Each structure stands twice: as structure tokens, then as C-alpha cells.
């Protein structure tokens, strides 16, 4: 087995085995330390995956495709072994420039969340169980990004449901059980649609291999329209796309800090990644047919998310609704079906994961210190905790799309892509998306004015000014990444350019 194949297996095997080991260790603190080590090893295994290409780290030199493979997917590395021979299902993993940034982001956020549990676990609960569940969630998300078999993709997609439900229900806020049930019900609804969509594709094409499926091999136009509708609805629930988004604010508000970071940082990306890799790749005629509807719904999400955020009075709920708007930009980029739009969607995915993950870490720190998330009770933070207020200000301006930070590239070039498509509809959508961007700036500036400025409220006045070293260690990588991706977008765009261009070749 060559190094790349070994690393692909290790990326899934290490956290899977680590979850079992962590759950078996009787000492809670020792188990959490082992969990951090396991998450760190997983991250280290993801970093060298692009190595060995002929033209350097950010060049694209794919493996030679097999005769039956689609021209749209040329993985850097593959693992392909029999899984269920009687049904011709294979344990087929692979990685390319579309999936690798999300794989690294997943591993990084899981490491930071496991590290966070070393010094902050809800009182009276088991940190060992929480870390084990986080590692199981990591396996499901990484497997979703690496699966090149449609049935295997579905299995990994579903692995995430139960452990994330347990994280919310076991370590969340006062209304955690209702929020967890709502999350589970919506996710199960999406899962049923995804299962039916997978069945339609496999039955029509006679294979579950994504290398062969990409480009609609063996499927009529009518089948593609039906398959895309089912798959798009399933991924819209996970993304979430308005009006299927209502589980998200409740889940974020009640989830513990690490649950919110994983939810916003990478779990939502399973939907947008699936929309690009599966729905668009497998049913390109369906994607072209549904693109205007997706564009309209995406812009509706941007505007509704922005307007609701302007009216929000709870810190975590505001950040949660901001995700609805940000993912609307990602979905609009996908709906354009252009190289600029898909690239903007991919970098928007990564930027949202980094910045919103940081925002939820900071919101958790504020709520832990003040015991409230009500914006009316949080004024004057810069007077009593200037470092925390400064970091919150940095994350807010990054999220609103300030040039030079990661949030700028995705949202700005989604608007450019919509203009490039042309026509009255797409030009109108571009203008409305730009208005949505202005709403984003408005509600984040409102957030900063209410929380950081003014006379310190009683809840804020008693804060100690310093930050723990562990907090800075957990947040620093996200701050640095927001700067790095903002200043050097080729960190994401460089690896994705060739596979995006190849994917567009199969579109009608």
C-alpha cells in the first residue's frame, strides 16, 4: 500500500479506533488527553494528502483514470476494495482538490474542540463520553468527504446523526432535548430523501461508483431531474437552505460550544459538498434545469437570514441565523454552475467554517463568563475584557466580508459569478445578494455596538480582563487561518481549480 492509500485509511481508522479507546479509559481526564492526541494524529494524517504531485503542492497531477472512470474526478489517491461483493458495493475512498480543504478543516476543528474539553466541560457531565462522540462525528464527516461510492457516502452521511444528537441532548442548554429532537427529525427527513435519491441513481445507472456516475452515465434526462430533486432537497436540509433551516437556530442555541463549532464549521458543509459532488456531478441535466430555482432560494436565504439577524436579541441565535445567510451565498455560487461560482462556493465553505467556528468559541466564552446570551445584558465588553472584545470584533468583521480576510472572497465572487451568467434573473439575484451582503455588515456592526461598546452592564462589569492560555491556543489557529485564506486564497482555490473545471465539462 502506497503512502497516499495508507493515509486515506488512517484518516478514518485513527479517530474510529480512538473513539473506542477513549470510551474504554476509566479515568475522565486521561481519556480526554488521549482524545486530543487522537485528533492531532488525524489532522497530521490529512496534511500530506496532496503531496507527490508532479508540479508542486498546489499543482494538480491526478492519477491516470481507468477506462470506465469519469473525466470529472481524477483523485490524488484512492482506496478501492470489495465491501459487499454480492451487491457490487465497494469500500471506495478518494481525495481531490474539492474535498481536501474540507477534510483538513474537519480534522482541525475536531482537534480544537477536543482540546477545549480539557479545560471546559459542562459541570457534572462526562468529558470522556463527549470526546468519544466528537471523534465518531469526525469519522462520519470525514467519510462523507472521502467516499467515492454512493452507498458508502450515504452510510457515512448517516453516521453523524446519532452522536450529534447525543452531544446536543447530553451537554446542551435547558431546552436541549427539544432542540436535539428537532435536529434529528429534520435530519431523518433529509436522510429518507437521500436514500430514495441514491436508490434512483443506482437502479438507473447500475452502479454506485462515483467515478463512473459523474457525468450522468446511463441515466435519462427524466431520471436525472427526479434524482437531482431528491438529492438537492436532502442536501438542502443539511446545508440548510431556506425554508428547511428552522432546526439550525434551535440546535445552535442549545448545543454546547463544541457542538456549535462542529455544527457550523463542518456539518453544514456535508450538504453543500454533497450538492456539488453528488447532485451536480451525478445529475448534471437536473442541475442545469433546477439552477434558477436554487438561485432564487439561495437569495431568499441570504435576505431572510440577514433580516432575522437584525431582529435577534440572543448572541448564539444571531450567529446561527448568520449561517443561514452565509450558506445562501455558497448555494448561490453552486447554482450559477460556473467556474467562478463553484470556486467561490468552495472557498466560502472553508471561510465560513473557520470564521463561524471562531465566533461560536467566542460566544461560548462570553456566555460562560456572563451566564447570559441576551444582547441587552452584554454591553461594554471592551471596557472590562478588551482582548475578548477585540477577538470578537475581528471575527465579526471577517464574517461580514472585510477585504483581506477569508469571508471576502466567497461572497464577493458569488455576486460576480451571478452577474457573469447574465440575463434579467441572474442580474437581479446578484443585486439582491449584494443587498444581503450589506445586511450582513449591518447586523454584525449592530452586534459589536451592543456587546462591546457603551457602559458595562452588570453581567459584564464583573468580568476579569484576561484570557486563559488554553483559550488563546484554541482560537489562534482559526484567527491565523482567517488571515491566511484572506491574503492567500490560493490555499483553497489552487487545489480546487482543475477538478472544478473538469466537473464543468460534464454539464450540458
Amino acid at each position: 500500500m502506497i503512502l497516499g492509500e495508507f493515509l486515506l485509511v488512517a484518516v478514518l481508522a485513527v479517530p474510529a479506533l480512538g473513539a473506542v479507546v477513549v470510551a474504554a479509559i476509566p479515568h475522565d481526564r486521561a481519556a480526554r488527553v488521549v482524545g486530543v492526541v487522537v485528533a492531532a494524529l488525524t489532522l497530521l494524517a490529512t496534511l500530506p494528502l496532496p503531496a507527490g504531485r508532479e508540479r508542486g503542492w498546489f499543482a494538480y497531477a491526478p492519477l491516470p483514470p481507468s477506462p470506465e472512470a469519469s473525466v470529472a474526478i481524477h483523485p490524488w489517491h484512492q482506496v478501492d476494495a470489495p465491501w459487499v461483493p454480492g451487491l457490487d458495493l465497494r469500500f471506495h475512498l478518494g481525495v481531490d482538490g474539492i474535498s481536501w480543504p474540507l477534510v483538513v478543516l474537519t480534522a482541525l476543528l475536531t482537534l480544537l474542540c477536543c482540546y477545549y474539553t480539557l479545560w471546559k466541560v459542562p459541570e457534572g457531565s462526562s468529558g470522556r463520553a463527549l470526546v468519544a462522540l466528537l471523534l465518531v462525528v469526525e469519522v462520519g464527516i470525514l467519510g462523507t468527504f472521502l467516499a467515492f461510492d454512493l452507498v458508502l457516502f450515504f452510510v457515512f452521511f448517516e453516521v453523524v446523526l446519532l452522536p450529534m444528537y447525543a452531544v446536543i441532548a447530553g451537554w446542551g442548554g435547558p431546552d436541549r432535548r427539544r432542540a436535539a429532537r428537532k435536529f434529528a427529525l429534520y435530519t431523518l427527513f433529509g436522510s429518507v430523501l437521500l436514500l430514495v435519491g441514491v436508490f434512483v441513481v443506482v437502479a438507473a445507472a447500475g452502479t454506485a461508483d462515483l467515478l463512473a456516475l459523474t457525468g450522468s452515465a446511463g441515466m435519462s434526462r427524466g431520471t436525472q431531474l427526479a434524482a437531482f430533486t431528491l438529492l438537492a432537497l436532502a442536501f438542502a436540509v443539511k446545508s440548510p437552505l431556506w425554508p428547511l433551516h428552522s432546526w439550525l437556530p434551535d440546535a445552535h442555541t442549545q448545543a454546547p460550544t463544541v457542538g456549535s463549532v462542529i455544527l457550523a464549521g463542518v456539518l453544514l458543509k456535508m450538504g453543500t459538498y454533497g450538492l456539488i459532488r453528488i447532485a451536480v456531478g451525478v445529475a448534471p441535466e437536473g442541475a442545469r434545469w433546477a439552477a434558477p430555482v436554487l438561485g432564487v432560494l439561495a437569495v431568499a436565504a441570504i435576505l431572510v437570514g440577514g433580516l432575522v439577524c437584525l431582529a435577534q436579541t440572543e448572541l448564539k441565535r444571531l450567529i446561527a441565523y448568520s449561517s443561514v445567510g452565509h450558506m445562501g451565498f455558497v448555494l448561490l455560487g453552486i447554482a450559477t454552475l460556473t467556474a467562478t461560482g463553484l470556486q467561490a462556493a468552495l472557498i466560502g465553505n472553508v471561510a465560513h467554517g473557520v470564521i463561524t467556528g471562531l465566533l461560536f468559541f467566542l460566544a461560548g466564552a462570553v456566555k460562560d463568563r456572563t451566564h447570559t446570551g441576551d444582547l441587552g445584558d452584554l454591553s461594554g465588553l471592551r471596557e472590562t475584557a478588551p482582548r475578548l472584545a477585540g477577538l470578537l470584533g475581528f471575527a465579526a468583521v471577517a464574517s461580514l466580508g472585510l477585504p483581506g480576510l477569508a469571508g471576502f472572497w466567497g461572497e464577493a465572487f458569488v455576486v460576480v459569478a451571478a452577474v457573469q451568467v447574465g440575463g434579467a434573473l441572474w442580474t437581479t439575484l446578484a443585486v439582491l445578494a449584494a443587498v444581503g451582503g450589506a445586511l450582513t455588515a449591518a447586523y454584525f456592526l449592530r452586534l459589536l455596538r451592543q456587546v462591546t461598546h457603551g457602559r458595562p452592564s452588570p453581567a459584564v462589569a464583573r468580568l476579569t480582563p484576561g484570557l486563559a492560555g488554553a483559550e488563546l491556543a484554541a482560537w489562534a489557529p482559526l484567527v491565523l487561518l482567517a488571515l491566511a485564506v484572506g491574503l492567500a486564497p490560493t490555499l483553497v482555490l489552487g487545489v480546487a481549480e482543475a477538478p472544478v473545471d473538469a466537473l464543468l465539462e460534464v454539464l450540458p
Side-chain angles (χ1 to χ4, degrees):
M1 180 181 290
I2 64 173
L3 178 61
E5 294 172 342
F6 172 79
L7 290 174
L8 277 178
V9 174
V11 164
L12 294 180
V14 170
L17 294 175
V20 175
V21 172
V22 168
I25 295 175
H27 191 274
D28 191 78
R29 176 73 179 182
R32 282 181 278 159
V33 172
V34 171
V36 173
V37 173
V38 168
L41 291 175
T42 305
L43 176 61
L44 290 176
T46 68
L47 296 178
L49 285 175
R53 287 173 292 158
E54 295 175 357
R55 299 188 301 277
W57 190 262
F58 295 108
Y60 183 73
L63 295 175
S66 60
E68 69 276 8
S70 164
V71 296
I73 307 178
H74 294 166
W76 300 335
H77 310 289
Q78 293 184 68
V79 172
D80 190 3
W83 180 29
V84 185
L87 298 176
D88 194 28
L89 299 179
R90 306 188 66 80
F91 188 79
H92 191 179
L93 305 176
V95 64
D96 66 1
I98 292 176
S99 57
W100 179 68
L102 295 173
V103 168
V104 175
L105 178 64
T106 302
L108 174 63
L109 289 180
T110 304
L111 172 59
L112 297 181
C113 288
C114 289
Y115 175 73
Y116 186 88
T117 65
L118 287 180
W119 53 276
K120 184 61 183 178
V121 176
E123 187 176 352
S125 60
S126 170
R128 177 186 63 182
L130 179 58
V131 170
L133 288 169
L134 289 175
L135 292 175
V136 175
V137 170
E138 181 181 29
V139 173
I141 298 175
L142 289 174
T144 300
F145 295 147
L146 296 175
F148 272 15
D149 179 277
L150 199 53
V151 176
L152 185 64
F153 175 91
F154 174 78
V155 170
F156 279 122
F157 199 88
E158 295 311 301
V159 165
V160 176
L161 171 59
L162 288 179
M164 183 53 70
Y165 171 89
V167 168
I168 298 171
W171 288 268
D175 200 19
R176 59 187 180 273
R177 298 192 184 279
R178 184 188 64 82
R181 284 195 300 269
K182 193 172 184 180
F183 163 76
L185 287 173
Y186 269 83
T187 303
L188 283 172
F189 170 69
S191 299
V192 171
L193 294 174
L194 179 58
L195 179 60
V196 176
V198 168
F199 176 80
V200 168
V201 171
V202 175
T207 180
D209 187 356
L210 279 177
L211 290 181
L213 282 169
T214 302
S216 69
M219 290 201 297
S220 66
R221 184 175 188 274
T223 303
Q224 287 194 47
L225 300 188
F228 184 86
T229 301
L230 290 166
L231 295 170
L233 284 172
F235 295 135
V237 173
K238 188 73 77 174
S239 295
L241 178 62
W242 181 88
L244 302 173
H245 68 285
S246 62
W247 64 267
L248 182 67
D250 291 336
H252 272 314
T253 303
Q254 297 301 320
T257 297
V258 293
S260 294
V261 171
I262 294 296
L263 267 173
V266 285
L267 192 141
L268 304 187
K269 313 307 178 292
M270 294 167 63
T272 50
Y273 172 82
L275 193 59
I276 295 172
R277 175 75 85 199
I278 309 297
V280 173
V282 170
E285 290 191 54
R288 183 68 71 186
W289 165 75
V293 176
L294 278 180
V296 170
L297 291 175
V299 169
I302 294 169
L303 296 175
V304 170
L307 292 172
V308 172
C309 283
L310 283 173
Q312 279 302 310
T313 59
E314 208 281 334
L315 180 59
K316 287 185 71 175
R317 201 169 182 85
L318 187 152
I319 298 171
Y321 269 109
S322 77
S323 292
V324 175
H326 288 309
M327 299 314 291
F329 277 102
V330 172
L331 289 162
L332 179 60
I334 297 171
T336 65
L337 299 179
T338 65
T340 300
L342 290 177
Q343 288 274 47
L346 291 171
I347 196 170
N349 259 340
V350 174
H352 177 265
V354 170
I355 297 168
T356 306
L358 177 60
L359 277 169
F360 275 114
F361 269 131
L362 296 170
V366 171
K367 291 190 70 172
D368 289 341
R369 286 164 164 79
T370 62
H371 307 292
T372 181
D374 192 327
L375 295 181
D377 297 332
L378 293 175
S379 62
L381 187 65
R382 68 175 184 173
E383 302 295 331
T384 57
R387 293 181 182 179
L388 182 58
L391 285 169
L392 183 62
F394 172 86
V397 297
S399 191
L400 64 82
L402 185 72
L405 298 175
F408 168 75
W409 297 104
E411 297 187 5
F413 282 92
V414 161
V415 175
V416 171
V419 172
Q420 288 177 344
V421 174
L425 173 64
W426 289 100
T427 301
T428 302
L429 293 179
V431 171
L432 293 176
V435 172
L439 289 176
T440 304
Y443 66 70
F444 270 117
L445 292 176
R446 167 181 171 266
L447 167 68
L448 292 178
R449 179 180 63 81
Q450 289 188 291
V451 175
T452 65
H453 289 61
R455 187 185 301 275
S457 64
V460 173
R462 59 174 178 263
L463 294 184
T464 55
L467 294 175
E471 289 178 311
L472 293 175
W475 304 338
L478 300 179
V479 173
L480 294 176
L481 268 179
L483 284 167
V485 174
L487 296 175
T490 190
L491 290 169
V492 177
L493 302 180
V495 295
E497 181 180 0
V500 165
D501 290 342
L503 180 62
L504 291 174
E505 290 179 9
V506 306
L507 290 173

